[in-house]
């Protein structure tokens, strides 16, 4: 229902807009409306429902008033924000080149030019021995800066060159809503073809160089539910559709490029269908059908399928089977199940098989030699780190490309000789102005949760920090969808570490850092383990004198923003300040509305609120529904107007309601990027400015002003 009188919406707006330098301005107060709905016998009211009408000018006016208020309230930290931006930018190698990677006859790479926001996608023809030749003429595939010139937001996704190297298919988003439009470029003439399609989420070329398969998402729900086949010069034809609302689909190719691979996946079940890439007019064939609870993926080599499966293997195992008879009766086990090791990814090459695994919240890479049947484990140096495949497109490759980093080791690209295991560093991100990793230290800590479970923590700090409870500490976590948070390096974080801040990641349940059970124990009717793990981790750090409540700031985004809202409701006394980014805080109103993007597909992660038991459980932790009249920490809430994953109105409604309930005088700020979506600003310098502002706000909450 639209409010009848919005005069109260813009209280203080004139003051905010006209006096941005004022020391204190009146916060916007959102009007209340009489919206209600009955759910499972409960009459539910939502005073701020009207904020969900994005096209209403009064909604935009309210959001702009919030931005103006935030600008006024943070005017005093602008010098620090500018200083941090200059610091971070000063560490960047502004003119930079990625490590070239060979695919077919060409080496592909991206480069950045100083002062420009976006990469330039390029390639060079390989030398006669297929080595990289930096003297070969550069061919610019896409200059993203030129393409982005007329837009506030710009993002390229799905870059794919045809097998004969003549055509480039790619997709672009110009709003931040993550709805990508397909384009096809003739690389010989530089012209765009007429072939195009909206809302494309994945694509793959057939070997005839003129047939393109792509998956399209629904315009309203954003579920990737239809597969199309498009012969260049002809209209796309729908090939497959996925009617089950909990499933989405993705198209790609097997590593040997002999098959088009369409995967269907929900939270707990998957299916793969294959089509010979040289017969694009044929019919897709299901490999193992669809069985509730069975998740699998496949690769092909010499008529054999290599299957990563969780059948009788919670953390997955690897089996092989003939392409013609892939059912379990013909399986041969190659890698057994290990209850302590999660197999995350399988890659198959002509002579080797590579596994990316996770054990005790650390990544590892193992390589199998088909000829010798031996295994090699790639060794890493830091006590905590992140390591993963960085793209090795050639099926005949004998070197495996890896990306490695740790909280004290800048991102490093290296090749591993798959025969010998020898590592060759190709590039390490330069920290301009010098960087000495010996000045910093990383540690793996273990916090005991209230049910006795050991929760891993990753910590980094500058040596010399005092562990007497006085140190400022930033505690970050995510804890959903089985997504693991990785202990990575950050140029931006150095500005915090150098000012004495300790940074800790809590690898709480809901991710998969400790295996598939870690996800299971932090979802559905066990979701509250995610929140209590975080609280118990914070209390551990306080008890061990790493920090104290008045020096502890917490941070999380998206589903991690739900975490922020939930733990702040539960233990507002435990945290000094909170940064909640694009937070999923209006859980019940979103999950009860099946017309919203990504809702029904989430039932298997959060629960189906149309079922009473699930409704009651979700209702008991939904941040928006559990705001109470009490004191809350200082809060900065950030979002984007065009967010497609968590609609802007969730944080907007949350802040509006919290402002009327909280009994303290601590800052409560909402900052909305009016031209971006879930990931924030798209340009690299614009993104740095956002990070600098957030860091400056946190530092100011610790009383650090320089």
């Amino acid at each position: 229902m639209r409010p009848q009188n919005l005069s109260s919406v813009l209280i203080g707006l004139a003051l905010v807009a006209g006096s941005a330098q004022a020391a204190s301005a009146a916060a916007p107060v959102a009007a209340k409306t009489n919206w209600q709905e009955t759910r499972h016998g409960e009459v539910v009211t939502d005073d701020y429902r009207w904020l969900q009408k994005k096209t209403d000018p009064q909604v935009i006016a309210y959001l702009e008033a919030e931005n103006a208020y935030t600008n006024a309230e943070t005017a005093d930290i602008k010098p620090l924000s500018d200083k941090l931006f200059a610091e971070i930018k000063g560490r960047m190698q502004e003119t930079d080149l990625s490590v070239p990677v060979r695919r077919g006859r060409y080496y592909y790479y991206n480069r950045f030019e100083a002062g420009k926001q976006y990469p330039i996608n390029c390639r060079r023809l390989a030398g006669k021995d297929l080595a990289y030749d930096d003297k070969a003429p550069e061919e610019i595939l896409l200059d993203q800066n030129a393409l982005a010139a007329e837009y506030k937001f710009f993002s390229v996704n799905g870059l794919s060159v045809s097998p004969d190297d003549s055509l480039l298919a790619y997709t672009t988003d110009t709003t931040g809503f993550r709805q990508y439009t397909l384009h096809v470029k003739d690389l010989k003439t530089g012209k765009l073809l007429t072939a195009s399609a909206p809302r494309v989420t994945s694509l793959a070329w057939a070997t005839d160089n003129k047939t393109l398969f792509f998956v399209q998402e629904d315009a309203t729900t954003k579920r990737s539910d239809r597969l199309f086949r498009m012969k260049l010069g002809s209209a796309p034809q729908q090939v497959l559709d996925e009617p089950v609302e909990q499933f989405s689909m993705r198209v790609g190719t097997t590593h040997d490029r002999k098959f088009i691979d369409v995967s269907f996946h929900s939270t707990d079940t998957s299916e793969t269908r294959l089509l010979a890439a040289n017969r694009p007019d044929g019919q897709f064939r299901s490999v193992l059908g669809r069985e509730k609870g069975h998740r699998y993926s496949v690769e092909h080599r010499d008529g054999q399928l290599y299957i990563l499966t969780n059948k009788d293997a919670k953390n997955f195992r690897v089996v092989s089977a003939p392409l013609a008879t892939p059912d379990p009766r013909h399986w041969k086990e190659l890698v057994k199940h290990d209850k302590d090791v999660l197999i995350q990814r399988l890659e198959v090459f002509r002579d080797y098989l590579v596994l990316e695994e996770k054990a005790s919240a650390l990544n590892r890479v193992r390589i199998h030699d088909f000829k010798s049947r031996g295994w090699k484990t790639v060794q890493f140096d830091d006590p905590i780190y992140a390591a993963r495949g960085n793209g090795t497109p050639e099926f005949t490759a004998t070197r495996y490309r890896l990306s490695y980093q740790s909280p004290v080791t800048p991102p490093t690209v290296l090749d591993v000789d798959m025969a010998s295991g020898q590592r060759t560093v190709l590039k390490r991100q330069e920290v301009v102005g010098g960087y000495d990793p010996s000045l910093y230290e990383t540690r793996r800590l273990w916090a005991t949760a209230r049910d006795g479970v050991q929760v891993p923590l990753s910590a980094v700090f500058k040596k010399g920090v005092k562990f007497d409870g006085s140190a400022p500490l930033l505690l970050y976590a995510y804890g959903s969808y089985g997504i693991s948070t990785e202990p990575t390096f950050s140029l931006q974080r150095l500005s915090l570490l150098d000012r004495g801040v300790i940074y800790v990641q809590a690898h709480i349940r809901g991710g998969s850092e400790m295996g598939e059970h870690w996800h299971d124990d932090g979802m559905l009717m066990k979701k509250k383990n995610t929140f209590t793990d975080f609280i118990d981790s914070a209390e551990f750090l306080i008890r061990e004198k790493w920090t104290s409540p008045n020096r502890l700031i917490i941070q999380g985004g998206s589903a991690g923003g739900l975490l922020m809202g939930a733990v702040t409701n539960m233990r507002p006394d435990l945290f000094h300040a909170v940064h909640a980014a694009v937070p999923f805080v209006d859980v019940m109103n979103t999950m009860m509305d099946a017309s919203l993007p990504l809702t029904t597909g989430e039932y298997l992660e959060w629960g189906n609120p149309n079922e009473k038991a699930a409704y009651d459980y979700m209702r008991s932790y939904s941040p928006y529904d559990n705001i109470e009249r009490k004191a809350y920490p200082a809060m900065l809430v950030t979002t984007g107007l065009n967010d497609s994953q968590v609609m802007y109105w969730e944080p907007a409604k949350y802040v509006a309601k919290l402002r009327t309930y909280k009994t303290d005088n601590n800052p409560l700020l909402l900052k909305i990027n009016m031209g971006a979506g879930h990931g924030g600003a798209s340009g690299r310098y614009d993104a740095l400015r956002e990070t600098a502002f957030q860091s400056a706000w946190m530092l100011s909450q610790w009383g650090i002003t320089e």
Side-chain angles (χ1 to χ4, degrees):
M1 179 182 296
R2 182 172 175 173
Q4 299 301 308
N5 184 350
L6 289 181
S7 60
S8 62
V9 172
L10 307 180
I11 288 178
L13 177 56
L15 173 61
V16 171
S19 306
Q21 302 303 316
S24 180
V29 178
K32 295 183 179 181
T33 62
N34 189 26
W35 186 95
Q36 64 181 35
E37 183 175 87
T38 301
R39 302 169 181 168
H40 298 288
E42 177 189 19
V43 177
V44 177
T45 61
D46 186 2
D47 292 340
Y48 306 106
R49 189 80 169 194
W50 66 275
L51 283 171
Q52 296 185 196
K53 193 172 182 181
K54 184 178 179 181
T55 57
D56 189 335
Q58 292 167 318
V59 170
I60 300 302
Y62 173 76
L63 299 178
E64 289 175 339
E66 286 284 6
N67 274 342
Y69 173 69
T70 295
N71 289 340
E73 289 295 288
T74 59
D76 59 335
I77 68 169
K78 189 177 186 305
L80 178 58
S81 179
D82 290 342
K83 182 177 181 179
L84 291 172
F85 173 77
E87 261 180 33
I88 301 166
K89 181 172 173 285
R91 297 188 190 106
M92 288 174 49
Q93 184 69 40
E94 293 188 73
T95 298
D96 203 3
L97 183 77
S98 68
V99 178
V101 60
R102 186 175 70 86
R103 184 180 177 93
R105 299 182 301 123
Y106 286 86
Y107 277 85
Y108 293 84
Y109 58 93
N110 301 328
R111 59 180 175 83
F112 278 98
E113 295 180 353
K116 293 186 177 180
Q117 297 267 26
Y118 300 96
I120 301 169
N121 306 107
C122 308
R123 71 179 182 182
R124 282 191 167 103
L125 194 63
K128 291 182 179 179
D129 58 354
L130 293 180
Y132 179 68
D133 179 7
D134 61 6
K135 301 294 193 298
E138 178 182 83
E139 181 180 346
I140 294 178
L141 306 181
L142 292 178
D143 182 347
Q144 294 189 32
N145 299 285
L147 295 175
E150 61 184 286
Y151 302 107
K152 293 181 179 178
F153 181 97
F154 186 77
S155 176
V156 170
N157 195 28
L159 283 161
S160 182
V161 177
S162 62
D164 68 355
D165 307 315
S166 67
L167 299 169
L168 172 67
Y170 65 99
T171 61
T172 59
D173 170 24
T174 58
T175 67
F177 198 66
R178 296 188 179 179
Q179 284 190 332
Y180 288 87
T181 299
L182 172 66
H183 313 275
V184 180
K185 182 178 181 180
D186 186 327
L187 295 177
K188 294 178 182 177
T189 66
K191 303 291 186 182
L192 284 180
L193 306 185
T194 56
S196 183
R199 306 187 309 280
V200 171
T201 55
S202 59
L203 52 89
W205 286 99
T207 56
D208 64 0
N209 303 295
K210 62 182 180 182
T211 304
L212 191 61
F213 289 89
F214 65 85
V215 171
Q216 187 180 67
E217 68 180 19
D218 182 87
T220 301
T221 67
K222 285 186 68 64
R223 183 169 68 92
S224 299
D225 61 353
R226 292 184 294 170
L227 176 73
F228 289 84
R229 175 172 46 220
M230 179 171 65
K231 291 187 180 297
L232 300 181
S234 302
Q237 300 294 320
Q238 184 171 315
V239 178
L240 297 171
D241 75 286
E242 176 50 65
V244 181
E245 291 183 335
Q246 281 68 50
F247 280 83
S248 295
M249 71 170 78
R250 182 174 180 83
V251 66
T253 64
T254 54
H255 202 175
D256 62 2
R257 304 176 205 162
K258 291 188 175 180
F259 291 92
I260 306 296
D261 174 330
V262 179
S263 60
F264 303 78
H265 49 89
S266 71
T267 297
D268 64 358
T269 304
S270 65
E271 178 191 5
T272 296
R273 300 182 194 179
L274 299 177
L275 170 67
N278 62 356
R279 297 179 181 176
D281 292 324
Q283 299 294 313
F284 282 87
R285 170 192 170 195
S286 183
V287 176
L288 293 170
R290 188 178 299 184
E291 177 186 351
K292 178 70 173 176
H294 186 202
R295 295 162 57 199
Y296 70 95
S297 60
V298 305
E299 274 295 351
H300 176 262
R301 172 182 175 268
D302 293 340
Q304 289 284 115
L305 292 181
Y306 292 81
I307 305 169
L308 181 62
T309 172
N310 73 341
K311 183 177 283 293
D312 303 319
K314 184 69 174 177
N315 282 337
F316 292 87
R317 58 183 172 136
V318 179
V319 300
S320 65
L323 175 64
T325 55
D327 59 279
R329 292 175 300 168
H330 299 94
W331 285 3
K332 291 184 178 179
E333 190 169 66
L334 180 61
V335 182
K336 295 181 181 295
H337 174 253
D338 187 333
K339 65 180 180 61
D340 297 319
V341 179
L342 172 64
I343 304 176
Q344 295 183 300
R345 189 173 175 222
L346 163 72
E347 283 195 77
V348 175
F349 298 87
R350 182 188 62 191
D351 301 321
Y352 302 95
L353 176 147
V354 179
L355 296 181
E356 294 185 22
E357 302 174 327
K358 187 172 285 289
S360 297
L362 288 176
N363 298 336
R364 75 180 190 189
V365 176
R366 293 200 298 144
I367 300 171
H368 176 69
D369 186 322
F370 283 117
K371 186 176 181 180
S372 71
R373 299 185 180 180
W375 286 90
K376 291 182 177 64
T377 300
V378 182
Q379 300 295 326
F380 301 109
D381 306 320
D382 295 297
I384 55 174
Y385 59 84
R388 61 181 56 188
N390 194 36
T392 311
E394 285 302 304
F395 184 66
T396 57
T398 59
R399 292 176 175 269
Y400 188 68
R401 180 69 51 85
L402 270 172
S403 173
Y404 175 82
Q405 59 185 301
S406 82
V408 298
T409 304
T412 304
V413 178
L414 52 90
D415 274 353
V416 179
D417 185 292
M418 288 192 271
S420 67
Q422 182 176 349
R423 298 181 302 176
T424 302
V425 173
L426 303 177
K427 181 178 182 177
R428 177 161 288 163
Q429 177 182 319
E430 181 179 352
V431 181
V432 177
Y435 166 69
D436 183 358
S438 70
L439 299 177
Y440 307 87
E441 184 177 339
T442 61
R443 289 189 197 173
R444 167 53 50 83
L445 308 173
W446 296 89
T448 303
R450 61 195 64 187
D451 59 359
V453 168
Q454 294 293 294
V455 179
L457 311 178
S458 296
V460 59
F461 51 90
K462 193 167 187 178
K463 292 177 181 177
V465 167
K466 293 180 179 179
F467 293 95
D468 59 2
S470 65
L473 189 146
L474 176 58
L475 179 61
Y476 170 87
Y478 184 74
S480 290
Y481 300 107
I483 296 172
S484 297
T485 54
E486 305 289 356
T488 57
F489 183 82
S490 168
L491 287 176
Q492 297 93 318
R493 193 186 304 135
L494 288 177
S495 291
L496 298 181
L497 301 182
D498 287 346
R499 288 169 171 82
V501 176
I502 299 172
Y503 178 80
V504 179
Q505 287 181 333
H507 304 288
I508 54 183
R509 281 175 281 189
S512 60
E513 287 91 339
M514 301 295 287
E516 281 295 307
H517 78 280
W518 207 244
H519 180 204
D520 290 349
D521 288 346
M523 63 186 288
L524 297 173
M525 303 296 279
K526 296 181 179 180
K527 185 61 196 171
K528 289 183 183 179
N529 284 336
T530 301
F531 315 138
T532 55
D533 280 0
F534 187 87
I535 290 170
D536 294 343
S537 296
E539 291 186 323
F540 164 80
L541 292 166
I542 292 166
R543 188 167 58 251
E544 296 297 314
K545 303 295 186 183
W546 284 66
T547 193
S548 55
N550 65 351
R551 302 295 280 162
L552 175 59
I553 295 180
I554 61 175
Q555 183 182 50
S558 195
L562 162 64
L563 170 69
M564 296 297 101
V567 301
T568 303
N569 281 339
M570 294 166 69
R571 287 295 307 278
D573 59 302
L574 196 57
F575 317 113
H576 177 65
V578 182
H579 173 214
V582 291
F584 175 39
V585 282
D586 191 12
V587 176
M588 302 314 300
N589 287 318
T590 291
M591 296 301 292
M592 290 295 296
D593 188 348
S595 70
L596 292 177
L598 310 174
T599 293
T600 54
E602 304 280 277
Y603 288 168
L604 296 174
E605 177 75 21
W606 306 100
N608 182 349
N610 297 299
E611 299 169 0
K612 181 69 163 58
Y615 174 88
D616 288 343
Y617 187 75
M618 297 162 70
R619 172 70 176 77
S620 71
Y621 67 73
S622 171
Y624 184 62
D625 298 283
N626 286 281
I627 293 172
E628 297 176 336
R629 296 197 183 280
K630 58 188 177 186
Y632 282 84
M635 295 190 72
L636 171 65
V637 181
T638 55
T639 189
L641 181 64
N642 298 325
D643 196 332
S644 60
Q645 316 303 111
V646 180
M647 296 297 180
Y648 73 88
W649 62 68
E650 292 204 33
K653 290 164 61 179
Y654 173 76
V655 168
K657 182 176 181 180
L658 185 58
R659 226 179 237 136
T660 67
Y661 274 75
K662 73 191 200 81
T663 59
D664 58 89
N665 293 317
N666 294 323
L668 174 59
L669 304 177
L670 175 63
K671 189 172 180 64
I672 312 107
N673 187 322
M674 303 297 283
H678 198 61
S682 57
R684 58 175 177 160
Y685 297 112
D686 293 341
L688 283 186
R689 287 201 179 277
E690 289 187 335
T691 299
F693 170 81
Q694 293 158 14
S695 297
W697 183 81
M698 289 187 286
L699 287 168
S700 72
Q701 291 301 310
W702 283 309
I704 301 171
T705 58
E706 294 288 330

